[in-house]
Amino acid sequence: MSMTRRQPADGSAAPLLNLLPGIGGPAPERADAARNRRKILDAAARIVAEQGPECVTMNQVAHASGIGVGTVYRRFGDVSQLLWALLDDRERQFQEAYLGGPPPLGPGAPAAERLDAFLDALVDRVVEQRAILLAAQSAAPVARYTSGAYLAMHTHVALLVSQAHPDTNAALLAHLLLAPFSPSLMHHLSEEQQLSATELKAGIRQLLSLRAPGGEPAPAPPSSP
């Protein structure tokens, strides 16, 4: 599978993952077009989950969704663009859940509880989408950190850390908390080490509860000047 994007019309090369959305949604569309888009994306998601992204074809998606193959091509162009749209869609759903959904993931719970819920939900998301995320990371390893998706997550985590632990360097800790969710590491742990999402969540909690030798909590890093 080629996880590449077409260059902009002016010839400039957009970073691969910068094309994932931050907060927002698709352009307004007719109700029937929105229903077709939903059916196509849901069918693509099932195929990815059952067979992997490399097995996705436009004909297969058309058959699984009950939508004509011509419509699938007109909406998404090719398999690469369809898979990017699937990532965009899942990222948008995740953002809606942690920014405006019910607590503890959404607003209304204490910051520490929201952070726990966010990390649990992130495990589920990365495990579910690991094949596509790994392909994207392989195509552009560093682009993850400048993507709209990562920047939105980092801002959210830094805010929760600063609320729960005001005297820490929240921006740095947010990067470190998100580091274990690298698609390549999650792929290794879930596929090669055969760890379940439940085991990964437990491991993240154990990591966050580690203390320095002697039983004292590990010292907090100095805040940025």
Side-chain angles (χ1 to χ4, degrees):
M1 178 187 66
S2 175
M3 293 299 292
T4 58
R5 284 277 199 158
R6 295 174 182 173
Q7 287 190 339
D10 62 4
S12 60
L16 189 68
L17 296 187
N18 278 352
L19 298 173
L20 287 175
I23 308 306
E29 54 189 350
R30 301 189 318 271
D32 59 337
R35 284 194 297 270
N36 285 345
R37 184 177 191 276
R38 180 78 271 143
K39 289 179 180 177
I40 293 168
L41 290 175
D42 287 347
R46 290 194 299 272
I47 295 168
V48 168
E50 294 169 3
Q51 303 176 45
E54 67 280 356
C55 295
V56 175
T57 68
M58 301 299 261
N59 286 338
Q60 190 179 22
V61 170
H63 177 75
S65 65
I67 305 295
V69 68
T71 299
V72 176
Y73 272 103
R74 283 193 297 274
R75 290 305 303 269
F76 296 100
D78 58 29
V79 170
S80 178
Q81 293 182 67
L82 173 57
L83 291 175
W84 277 106
L86 180 59
L87 270 180
D88 290 354
D89 183 67
R90 292 298 185 264
E91 179 59 35
R92 188 175 296 111
Q93 292 177 18
F94 183 47
Q95 289 175 356
E96 289 172 353
Y98 71 73
L99 291 176
L105 181 58
E113 291 183 23
R114 290 192 69 193
L115 183 59
D116 279 346
F118 175 85
L119 295 175
D120 278 355
L122 187 56
V123 168
D124 289 332
R125 178 181 177 272
V126 175
V127 169
E128 176 193 1
Q129 298 288 307
R130 62 184 179 273
I132 304 179
L133 291 168
L134 182 62
Q137 184 187 47
S138 298
V142 182
R144 172 178 185 244
Y145 303 103
T146 55
S147 70
Y150 182 86
L151 293 174
M153 289 191 295
H154 177 267
T155 299
H156 180 66
V157 172
L159 177 61
L160 295 179
V161 170
S162 69
Q163 292 173 347
H165 305 282
D167 296 329
T168 61
N169 184 342
L172 172 61
L173 292 181
H175 283 301
L176 296 177
L177 285 173
L178 292 172
F181 296 92
S182 163
S184 57
L185 177 58
M186 281 292 173
H187 180 83
H188 170 72
L189 294 176
S190 59
E191 287 293 310
E192 298 175 21
Q193 298 296 315
Q194 295 293 300
L195 296 177
S196 67
T198 299
E199 290 172 310
L200 293 172
K201 292 173 187 178
I204 292 290
R205 280 191 164 75
Q206 291 169 4
L207 178 65
L208 294 180
S209 67
L210 289 179
R211 291 172 176 264
E216 295 298 324
S223 300
S224 299

